[in-house]
Each structure stands twice: as structure tokens, then as C-alpha cells.
Amino acid sequence: MGNVIVLVNATSDVVDAASAELLTTGAGLGSVVAVVPGGGSDALVADIAQYGAAEVHVVSCPQLSDSLVVAKAALLVERAAETHASIVLVASGLEGNEVAALVAAKLGAGLVTDAVAVRADDGELVVDKVVWAGKYTVTAKVVAPVAVLSMKANSCVAVVAPSQPEVRQAHFDFAAPAPTARVTSIEPAATSSRPKLVEANVVVSGGRGTDGDFAPVEALADALGGAVGASRAAVDAGFAPQPLQVGQTGKTVSPDLYVALGISGAIQHIAGMRTARQILAINSDPEAPIHRLADLSVVGDLKVIVPAVVARLG
Amino acid sequence: MKILTCVKYVPDAGDEVGFESDFTLGRTGPSSKLSELDEYAVEQALRLRATIDGATVTVLSVGPAEAEVALRKALQMGADEAVLVSDEAIAGSDVFGTAAVLIAAAGYLDEVGLVMCGMSSTDAGIGALPALLAEALGWPLLSNAAEVSVEAGQARIVRSDEFGTRVVEAALPAVVSVTDQSGEPRYPSFKDVLAAKKKSVTTIGLAELGVEAALVGAGAARVQVTAVVRNPERAAGRVIVDVDGSSVDDIVEFLAAATK
Ligand SMILES: Cc1cc2nc3c(=O)[nH]c(=O)nc-3n(C[C@H](O)[C@H](O)[C@H](O)COP(=O)(O)OP(=O)(O)OC[C@H]3O[C@@H](n4cnc5c(N)ncnc54)[C@H](O)[C@@H]3O)c2cc1C
Ligand SMILES: Nc1ncnc2c1ncn2[C@@H]1O[C@H](COP(=O)(O)O)[C@@H](O)[C@H]1O
């Protein structure tokens, strides 16, 4: 289907999991032009080549860090126009969805945000998206010449397929056509020694039922080599920071094992973890909805059970 | 100055409503209402109104006649006036169609100095409209705010996302969207509910806005829904009742199998 632009955000020398998935998805649809805004290292470019890109464009842009999303979107629009791309793929997220919207508006393209699957069918691009707190999967076809999609993490398994891409260095000066917002301070996302929430094979989440003590949640996560998550009630109460929130307005996770501790299982929470392979729930209320979907439901006190389990796991 | 707050009428997440034959979501489920994520936008608009001289809050929705329910709720929360854009021709619009209508409405209403939105609709969950509105209006975008304030004609937000926490500023007029971290929406009191009865909802169509019907609706959509499938519910598994740690063996065994 022609050229596929894949946005790779350079946050380190390695392609992050979400971008690796996009590169794989893109390679299945056409010839991938990986675009790295703001400049990326040789190591990053080499890593991108692991996933089958045909071209890598490293594009410097002085306005990138001062502007919220508009400069990044304009940079992608320029690359899409230059390469006559018919598909633009970005990773889902607050920023990714906005970048996708702005690029689609400029290109007159069809837009699907938070897509979970995409395929070419008889020359048409067909996209799946999960809507309404996870209740339904909607399939749509893009009827415009260009498609811009933001893809949810864990939509596919990244496949290593080394290539020898043509690497281009470019420069993009963003001249705002209208007044834009200025970023006046930046504090990078906190890093943790635990696996990243959306990439982890094991996620242990705590809810309001932890009563503010996340120590058992963290201890079990560490014993299993997993990531820590939280319900929104736990985040709202200040038990855990928002980036750890799982659910409709938080992260979507799809681990092999999801452990819900003191979480009732509201539909908005389920929306973020319903595709976990196995679910363990510990909740003292036998009527809690989480017990209706867990593979192992334990009706009991997490404060008694979790430390004992952690001790046994050694 | 008007603070124009965009709100959507959506089915409740717990409702059992279906899809129409054209795959559009049945908007009028038994408990369809003001989108919970847009309550945050109304709340922040009301808080900002209290800090800006002469500010008023107008709530705006694009939707079926029943969407008045959502606007009524916003009026009960304290919004000053409500506008509903309703037109047969809008049905089946994609996000660009909805955006075209909202943009025309923002231009139709006088003295709009700030457009407020929620972070996402709870049904379609696109998370795109605020950016599209800002782009089309030529106004700065201050989106996904966990905090928002306006001082001396300058808007300032704090935003946290996949790239960290950023402070973003712009002069008004601007488009602001807020997340569910921005502060709990107020609950209308009985007095508020009575007061809202005196407020009216103005309904207009595309003709008043000068939007050509060909630009909106299913025919103009760049994305066409071809199927909707109900996702299978997960089945309940084994349930055990713990007494003083009696479940530990079973849990350890389960964890070992699940992480193999
Ligand atoms: C638009 C919208 C978006 C939302 N997005 C999200 C989202 O992204 N993520 C999310 O999680 N929620 C989200 N919510 C909120 C959601 O509806 C619930 O309010 C929330 O998930 C509840 O969190 P909780 O289960 O921790 O708390 P509660 O519902 O209060 O449940 C606490 C549970 O802990 C149990 N418990 C108490 N003590 C113990 C103990 N000692 N041992 C074991 N169990 C115990 C209780 O039995 C109870 O079931 C959203 C809501 C809306 C309206
Ligand atoms: N039909 C609508 N009428 C008014 N505002 C809307 C409508 N749809 C979306 N919005 C606004 O745009 C925000 C983002 O919605 P969306 O991009 O559709 O996920 C919502 O939180 C609302 O503030």
C-alpha cells in the first residue's frame, strides 16, 4: 500500500516496545519510513533497522520541545507529503492521539485513534478499535486516500526482520501559522527499576482496598518481577501516581498475569486489563464484580494473604 | 467573555444499548447522559468563571434532540446558557464532521474567549476534537490539563502524559481540554436544580450555522464502520474463600502456572 510513515519517539538508544510494534505493523502494510523527530543516535537508527524499515528519517526541529504537539504534527505532515505516504502510524497516548488528529486534518486523511488491529483488504485499509469501556470492537474501513492511525500498545508482537534502511538526516523549521501554546517547563516522566506497565508480563495492581498501603502490592510485584498498577480510586486517593493507573483513562495492559488487590472491578477498570491472559483477584467482598471475571478469585483480606504469599515466593 | 464548553451526550457505560443498522451507536440508551469526562470540563469552566471578570459559561453539544438531557445537567451544575446543534444531516458524522459543526458554532456565538473540552468522549473515545478545534480556529491548544488557570488573559495548564509533566501557557483565546485528574465535578443541589429550570436550551440546525450538509454526516465520513462485535465477557473462574491465609497454597500454585 505504498509508503507507511512510522513515528518513532527517540527517548533512548533503543526502540521502545510500542514503536517496535508499529514498525512491524507498518512493514506488513507497505514500505516503512521511520521518522525520528528531534534527532536520534546511530544506535537508535541501528535498532530501528532490526524491524524492517526501508528508510529512516532523522529530523531535527528546534521548535519541538517548546511546542506541545503542533510542531511534531507539522513535521510528520511534511514527511508524509515528501514520501507520498498513504498511511501514518503513531503510538496511542494523550499526545499520540492529538498528533494523529492534527496530521489527519492537514492531510485530509481518515483518522482512527486507539486502533488495536489494522489490515489491508482488497486495497482497502480495515481497522479495529475497542470502544465503550471495552464492550465492543468496531471495525471500520478508511475511505480516504490517506489513513492516520494511532495504535494501542500490545496490538501485535514486534518481529525482528533486519533490513538495511536508507538513512536520511533532515531539518524542519516549524513556522507557526497562528498563535501556539508554549511549553514553559518540563519534568521527564519518572523512571522505575520495575518493568514498564504496558510492556510487563506481570502486573500487580492495588485499589482503594489497600487503604493506602501499597507495600504488599509492590512486594508481590517484585516477587513476580512485574510492574505495579493502580485503580483510579487508588490514584485519586493519592495511594499511587496517575501514570500507574490502569483503565479507561489510564493505561491498557495485556500481561500474561494480572493481579487485582482490593479492586472492585468497575467497568472502566476492566476496560484496561480485560485482555490479560490470567487474572487473580483478592477482594474481601464476595459480591465484588472482579470475582466474576478472575480466573482465580480469592475472597479474603489482602493484608493477611499477600504478605504470606510473598513470603512463600521467597 | 464566553467560556464555551463542549459536552457530549453518551450512553452510560453500564447500559445495554445496541447499535443501529448503520452501526452508529444507539445514543439514547435508558441512562444516556452528560459524558462523565465532560463533567470535568464543565466543572473547570465554572471554576474559571469565578476567577475571570465578566465571564459566562455556555455549554454546547452536537447531538440528537435527547442530548438536551446532557445540557440540562450542565445547567444544573451552574452553566449560564446551553446550545444544542441538532440536525438529521449530522448523523453518522466522523470526528471531522463533528468538528466542523462545533467550529461553526464557536464562530456563530459571540465573544467566545475560551473553548473547554473533556479529554475524550466516553463512547467513541477519540481524544481528537480539542486539537481539531484549536487547529481550525487558529487558537493555541492547551490539552489534557490536570490543572488549569487563567490570569490576565493568559491560560496556564499542567499536563502529564507519556513524555512527563509539562507546564504550558498561551494567551486567550485558546482551546483547553481537561482530564479526570483536574478536580471532582460538583453535584448540583436541589436549589441548583430548581434554578436550572428557568434556563433555556437553544436548539439550532446546520442552516443557522451556514454549514453545508454535504460536509457532515455519514456521506462525508472518511472512515466507515463496517461491523460491530460485542466482545465476549470473561468467564468467572474458581472462587475460594480465605480463612486466615488458607488460600495461600492455591494462590502460589496459580501464580506459578500463570507465570510459567
Ligand atoms: C469516565 C470514567 C473513567 C474512569 N476511568 C477509570 C480508570 O481508568 N481506571 C479505574 O480503575 N477506574 C476508572 N474509573 C473509576 C471506576 O468507575 C471505579 O470508581 C474505580 O475503578 C474503583 O476503584 P477501586 O476498585 O480501587 O475502589 P472501590 O470500588 O472502592 O473498591 C475497593 C475494593 O476493595 C475491597 N477491599 C477493601 N478492603 C479490602 C481488604 N482488606 N482486602 C481485600 N479487599 C478489600 C472492597 O471490597 C472493594 O471491592 C473511571 C470512572 C469514570 C466515570
Ligand atoms: N458531539 C459532541 N458535542 C459537543 N462536544 C463534543 C462532542 N463530541 C466530542 N465533544 C468534545 O470533544 C471532547 C473529545 O471528544 P472526542 O475527540 O470525540 O473523544 C469531548 O470530551 C467533548 O468535550
Side-chain angles (χ1 to χ4, degrees), chain A residues 207-209 230-234 245-250 262-266 268-269 282-285 288 300-303, chain B residues 36-37 122 180:
Chain A
R208 193 168 7 224
S231 72
R232 195 180 94 180
Q245 183 182 316
V246 172
Q248 191 180 349
T249 54
I263 291 177
S264 61
Q268 296 90 355
H269 186 80
I282 303 180
N283 189 309
S284 50
D285 175 7
D301 186 348
L302 74 92
K303 294 189 185 89
Chain B
E36 281 154 315
L37 291 176
T122 50
D180 56 351

Side-chain angles (χ1 to χ4, degrees), chain A residues 9 11 65 67-70 72 91-98 101-102 104-106 108-114 126 129-144 178-189 202 220 224 232 235-236 242 245 248-249 256-257 259 267-268 273-280 282 291-301 304-305 308-309 312-313, chain B residues 11-19 23 25-26 36-37 40 94-96 119 121-132 135 138-144 154 156-157 159-171 177 179-181 184 221-245 247-252 254-260:
Chain A
N9 289 303
T11 42
S65 56
S67 90
L68 194 53
V69 286
V70 286
K72 196 178 276 183
S92 279
L94 294 182
E95 172 164 324
N97 292 3
E98 288 175 339
L102 293 173
K106 267 285 179 324
L111 170 71
V112 180
T113 55
D114 294 339
V126 179
K129 166 171 182 159
V130 176
V131 297
W132 205 7
K135 269 194 179 167
Y136 291 93
T137 298
V138 169
T139 302
K141 68 175 184 213
V142 179
V143 291
T180 55
R182 281 166 296 110
V183 175
T184 55
S185 101
I186 307 181
E187 198 186 302
V202 176
L220 184 56
L224 297 168
R232 195 180 94 180
V235 169
D236 287 350
Q242 205 280 334
Q245 183 182 316
Q248 191 180 349
T249 54
D256 289 333
L257 169 65
V259 182
I267 188 165
Q268 296 90 355
M273 41 68 85
R274 40 176 284 281
T275 57
R277 204 165 54 79
Q278 294 282 310
I279 298 172
L280 164 68
I282 303 180
H291 291 314
R292 292 204 289 271
L293 65 125
D295 298 282
L296 180 63
S297 283
V298 179
V299 179
D301 186 348
V304 173
I305 301 168
V309 170
R312 279 281 298 280
L313 293 174
Chain B
D12 184 84
D15 273 1
E16 282 308 322
V17 309
F19 284 78
F23 301 120
L25 184 60
E36 281 154 315
L37 291 176
Y40 291 90
D94 67 0
V95 64
F96 297 104
M119 64 191 292
S121 49
T122 50
D123 51 354
I126 304 169
L129 263 169
L132 296 177
E135 165 83 12
W139 293 0
L141 172 69
L142 300 149
S143 46
N144 294 302
Q154 282 279 125
R156 178 182 186 277
I157 67 156
R159 157 173 171 145
S160 290
D161 64 18
E162 55 269 42
F163 298 99
T165 300
R166 289 178 277 188
V167 176
V168 192
E169 297 177 38
S177 72
T179 71
D180 56 351
Q181 297 293 301
E184 275 312 292
R222 302 174 198 167
V223 172
Q224 280 172 8
V225 176
T226 55
V228 178
V229 178
R230 170 107 202 192
N231 290 325
E233 307 272 345
R234 291 186 72 111
R238 197 171 145 220
V239 182
I240 45 181
V241 178
D242 181 89
V243 182
D244 296 332
S247 64
V248 170
D249 283 348
D250 287 315
I251 293 173
V252 170
F254 176 84
L255 293 175
T259 52
K260 209 165 41 199

Side-chain angles (χ1 to χ4, degrees), chain B residues 6-8 38 60-62 98 102 117-118 120-121 126-130:
Chain B
C6 300
V7 299
K8 191 173 184 185
D38 294 345
L60 167 67
S61 190
V62 174
T98 308
L102 287 171
C117 291
S120 172
S121 49
I126 304 169
L129 263 169

